[in-house]
Amino acid sequence: MSRPDASAAHPPHRHGDKPVTSLLSILRKPWLWAFIAAGAAFVATAAVTQAGGWGLGMTALTFAAFSVLVGIGQMFVITLGPGNVDLSIPATMTLAGTLALKAMAGDPAMIPVGLAIALASGLAVGVVNYGLIRLLSIPPIIATLSASFLIQSAAIWSNRGLRVKPPQALADFATGRALGVPNVAVVALLVAVLAWVVLERALAGRRVLAIGQNMRAARLAGVPVDAVRFATYVSCAVLAGLAGFLLASFSGGAALNMGAEYLLMSIAVVVIGGSSIAGGNSNVPGIWGASLFMFLIVSMLNSYGAGAGVRMILTGVIIIAIVAAAGGRKVSR
Amino acid sequence: MISTTRLLGIAGLCAAVPFMGLADTSDKSIALSNNYAGNSWRQAMLESWQKVTAQAVEEGVVSAADAFTTAENQATEQAAQIQNMILQGYDAIVINSASPTALNGAVKEACDAGIVVVSFDGIVTEPCAWRIAVDFQEMGRQQVEYLASRLPEGGNLLEIRGLAGVFVDDEIHAGIAAGVQEHPDFKVAAAVNGDWAQDVAQKAVAGVLPSLPDIAGVVTQGGDGYGAAQAFAASGRDMPIIVMGNRHDEMEWWKQAHEENGYETVSLSIAPGVSTLAFWVAQQVLDGADVPKDLTVPFLKVTQEDLEEVLASTQAGGVANVEYTLDDAKAVISDAAQ
């Protein structure tokens, strides 16, 4: 099934080819399947929707945005190669949301401070995570999982699970729309564009990919491996902090269990989006496609009245099918 | 050193006797084995335990009442924790269990070692333990009953369920199904899983709403009403009657809606202070009282009339709570004995 050499043998696609080949190259994109699946789920759901697809589409954009933010961070971490994953994302979201909302205490003048606190708590988590990984040589899975206990405890300790309301202006922003598009989706889109530029056009992204394909070779080629890995873990935690800040503002306050579903979600959107779980080969558009799909599939099955058991089985089967389809394309290339 | 401690102990005992009447449990220790602490309900539960037991220890009712929470909400981890408590020599163990059956082995070991085991909320089925159960089915049934009193014509309901596969979710759902059978004018148009979390409920409801007909009422499981209200507000639909679950944000939203347009609903849940009821029951069993093995926790129900009062006494961002006293425990015990 898996071909560890496949990505190394096929360097990332060249851009700016002739029109015909660029159309063909789109068909070969690993992220295409996530969008096809999301589109199919959208059409199936919209078919039973009285109000038409517009409301459904905007709702999907809203909720996909949170998955996109954590998914992009996770994608960069996973790109670093086998064994790299950040399991502290849910706890980081909870901590950032809790600290920020407590600091703002509903005062609109404190919104910049709240945002800064959320990002700073993400920064701190990233530093701790990489400290455990590098200085104590703990494998990332164990390091980030054990860090998440500390982070979650800090969140519990800081506010004992009490929900503090966000400032009204911030709540309005998080639930509001600009030109009909949800604000949180705009934020996630900007972050995605930035991430795409970093991954595809900047030296930093090339270095992340190089490390993921072969860390030893990257080191010998002069890539500052430690600095790049450090920056990657920190960025992932900062994005989780931003997601926690927005989610807490969106849903009327931070709750201790608010990040729980984003642990598997962050990994699922990376894989469904067509990035290699073995690292070294990632793409940003797939994160959006997969995030939309993950929301729409649940909406679709709910709308058709599927029970929880059926819903979980079908979700699992469909995810396997998409990953297999995307993987199959890669092999045949 | 030892004699000083003992003297202090005797002094404490003497001081306690006139107030308590019964102080036969003053040398007994009670442990709380709790499986989860990661939400506001559980945090309030632990705080209530801390508050009531600290006072009980100070008054010499018991010698110790320590709370322990497992990190991962795993039955195996909690079984190991209970085995440690047996070795530490506690006289009673109060359990909020990760599973109704998976801890039975450890619970049996504790009973065999002469330890009193009282389970509550998340109960255990092992016959040697006491059970302070929540009648979750009744909780579901009463929601539909309330909606029937408000909407005699019936209508479409949206059901927000909890975490799939958990016993509590199945029970409340069964109660709601029974209620709908009693009131056949109602139809459950859709059911989604909100995992007892506002943000998850909001997402699930927002996703299913576009495909739904007019919804007259929303039946819930607690911790999901505010998220549902947010999703309905964002969709621009008419606000249905959403049964709430005693959370502060839910009640505050309800109060605001009532002031704006006369919105009325009902809210019911279990007070997190049920942990203190379990504490007093354990104390009573240690004291030699005749306590039936199966007890039922009363609901904490908030209606339009007492909304303001309950809201005022609820900590901002927390859950409506009641801490139980020894007399409350005795009343629950005598109710069950009848």
Side-chain angles (χ1 to χ4, degrees):
Chain A
M1 272 296 288
S2 75
R3 290 183 164 195
D5 60 334
S7 53
H10 296 273
H13 331 283
R14 279 192 306 266
H15 295 267
D17 287 355
K18 281 173 286 182
V20 180
T21 43
S22 73
L23 179 68
L24 278 176
S25 80
I26 281 186
L27 288 174
R28 286 202 203 99
K29 295 286 187 196
W31 45 259
L32 185 67
W33 292 93
F35 280 98
I36 291 176
F42 178 81
V43 170
T45 315
V48 292
T49 297
Q50 279 86 2
W54 178 254
L56 178 70
M58 290 305 115
T59 312
L61 282 177
T62 306
F63 288 99
F66 302 111
S67 310
V68 166
L69 289 177
V70 293
I72 286 174
Q74 188 72 279
M75 181 200 77
F76 275 105
V77 170
I78 287 177
T79 310
L80 286 173
N84 283 292
V85 68
D86 185 351
L87 302 184
S88 67
I89 284 176
T92 309
M93 291 172 72
T94 306
L95 181 68
T98 304
L99 292 182
L101 268 74
K102 192 181 178 192
M104 291 186 289
D107 179 4
M110 293 287 281
I111 292 173
V113 179
L115 180 60
I117 287 175
L119 299 180
S121 37
L123 185 78
V125 168
V127 170
V128 169
N129 276 345
Y130 196 65
L132 292 174
I133 294 166
R134 187 69 184 91
L135 301 179
L136 303 180
S137 303
I138 304 174
I141 288 183
I142 311 291
T144 54
L145 189 61
S146 46
S148 75
F149 285 124
L150 301 178
I151 302 160
Q152 183 78 20
S153 302
I156 291 177
W157 171 78
S158 68
N159 210 25
R160 302 286 291 181
L162 298 176
R163 273 167 78 91
V164 182
K165 290 243 178 256
Q168 194 56 43
L170 183 58
D172 289 345
F173 170 79
T175 53
R177 292 173 184 189
L179 303 174
V181 182
N183 290 329
V184 285
V186 174
V187 172
L189 192 65
L190 291 177
V191 170
V193 168
L194 186 68
W196 183 84
V197 170
V198 169
L199 184 71
E200 307 279 345
R201 292 283 180 271
L203 183 59
R206 302 279 104 184
R207 284 174 162 171
V208 172
L209 287 167
I211 292 172
Q213 284 164 10
N214 191 325
M215 184 149 85
R216 208 173 128 76
R219 196 187 298 273
L220 292 174
V223 173
V225 171
D226 279 326
V228 173
R229 292 182 74 201
F230 173 75
T232 307
Y233 275 92
V234 167
S235 318
C236 178
V238 169
L239 281 173
L242 176 64
F245 177 77
L246 288 175
L247 182 59
S249 309
F250 176 81
S251 62
L256 288 178
N257 50 2
M258 63 181 250
E261 64 168 342
Y262 291 95
L263 176 57
L264 288 179
M265 180 74 81
S266 67
I267 300 171
V269 295
V270 174
V271 178
I272 297 171
S275 296
S276 166
I277 191 73
N281 184 8
S282 292
N283 73 83
V284 175
I287 303 286
W288 258 108
S291 298
L292 288 167
F293 166 73
M294 288 300 281
F295 176 81
L296 288 164
I297 184 75
V298 175
S299 292
M300 180 185 90
L301 294 170
N302 273 335
S303 300
Y304 281 89
V310 177
R311 209 159 58 221
M312 284 179 183
I313 292 172
L314 281 178
T315 309
V317 168
I318 294 169
I319 289 174
I320 292 171
I322 297 170
V323 174
R329 302 285 301 180
K330 246 181 264 169
V331 172
S332 68
R333 239 183 340 175
Chain B
M1 275 302 276
I2 293 168
S3 63
T4 320
T5 321
R6 192 167 289 170
L7 271 177
L8 280 175
I10 292 168
L13 194 70
C14 294
V17 167
F19 298 107
M20 290 308 302
L22 293 165
D24 299 336
T25 56
S26 58
D27 60 340
K28 306 286 191 192
S29 58
I30 299 178
L32 170 65
S33 164
N34 174 39
N35 66 315
Y36 184 60
N39 60 36
S40 57
W41 196 93
R42 291 297 180 112
Q43 285 296 320
M45 182 195 100
L46 290 169
E47 244 172 278
S48 291
W49 172 276
Q50 175 62 29
K51 192 168 138 195
V52 168
T53 62
Q55 199 186 349
V57 170
E58 197 174 307
E59 287 172 355
V61 181
V62 293
S63 67
D66 308 317
F68 302 94
T69 299
T70 56
E72 275 285 76
N73 194 9
Q74 294 289 332
T76 45
E77 197 186 356
Q78 199 175 10
Q81 185 193 54
I82 290 169
Q83 275 154 349
N84 282 335
M85 288 172 176
I86 298 171
L87 295 175
Q88 285 168 15
Y90 283 101
D91 299 292
I93 301 176
V94 173
I95 303 178
N96 193 344
S97 168
S99 151
T101 51
L103 294 184
N104 282 350
V107 169
K108 186 76 174 50
E109 271 179 59
C111 294
D112 290 347
I115 296 170
V116 170
V117 179
V118 177
S119 62
F120 71 100
D121 186 35
I123 52 163
V124 295
T125 55
E126 168 57 46
C128 74
W130 276 260
R131 275 165 292 282
I132 303 178
V134 178
D135 191 346
F136 287 113
Q137 291 212 11
E138 180 62 15
M139 207 167 132
R141 211 190 54 76
Q142 280 192 12
Q143 297 188 37
V144 185
E145 200 167 72
Y146 170 79
L147 290 176
S149 74
R150 290 285 309 281
L151 305 162
E153 312 271 284
N156 289 312
L157 302 184
L158 171 63
E159 180 183 1
I160 305 180
R161 299 187 57 166
L163 207 53
V166 180
F167 152 84
V168 174
D169 170 58
D170 290 332
E171 289 287 299
I172 298 180
H173 170 70
I176 287 169
V180 170
Q181 218 159 32
E182 274 173 41
H183 303 280
D185 290 336
F186 285 110
K187 178 173 168 285
V188 177
V192 298
N193 287 79
D195 297 3
W196 302 309
Q198 303 288 10
D199 59 320
V200 181
Q202 184 177 0
K203 182 171 166 179
V205 173
V208 76
L209 265 188
S211 70
L212 294 184
D214 276 341
I215 296 293
V218 180
V219 282
T220 61
Q221 296 201 353
D224 40 17
Y226 181 78
Q230 296 288 95
F232 270 94
S235 76
R237 284 171 169 242
D238 288 341
M239 191 60 68
I241 301 175
I242 303 174
V243 179
M244 296 296 178
N246 291 2
R247 267 60 172 185
H248 181 264
D249 50 5
E250 293 176 338
M251 293 190 291
E252 193 154 271
W253 176 87
W254 170 11
K255 180 176 169 236
Q256 241 172 40
H258 183 71
E259 280 161 8
E260 277 165 25
N261 54 29
Y263 187 85
E264 280 192 27
T265 184
V266 72
S267 175
L268 66 167
S269 185
I270 306 303
V274 61
S275 60
T276 62
L277 182 66
F279 167 77
W280 289 117
V281 167
Q283 189 269 341
Q284 283 293 293
V285 175
L286 287 174
D287 201 22
D290 188 17
V291 181
K293 284 278 162 89
D294 286 290
L295 305 169
T296 308
V297 193
F299 297 125
L300 183 57
K301 191 167 175 176
V302 184
T303 58
Q304 192 65 56
E305 286 74 53
D306 45 33
L307 173 63
E308 304 255 343
E309 191 189 328
V310 176
L311 195 54
S313 66
T314 302
Q315 197 176 11
V319 190
N321 199 1
V322 175
E323 269 128 21
Y324 294 89
T325 62
L326 179 55
D327 289 336
D328 294 330
K330 284 179 174 166
V332 168
I333 291 167
S334 70
D335 281 353
Q338 280 162 16

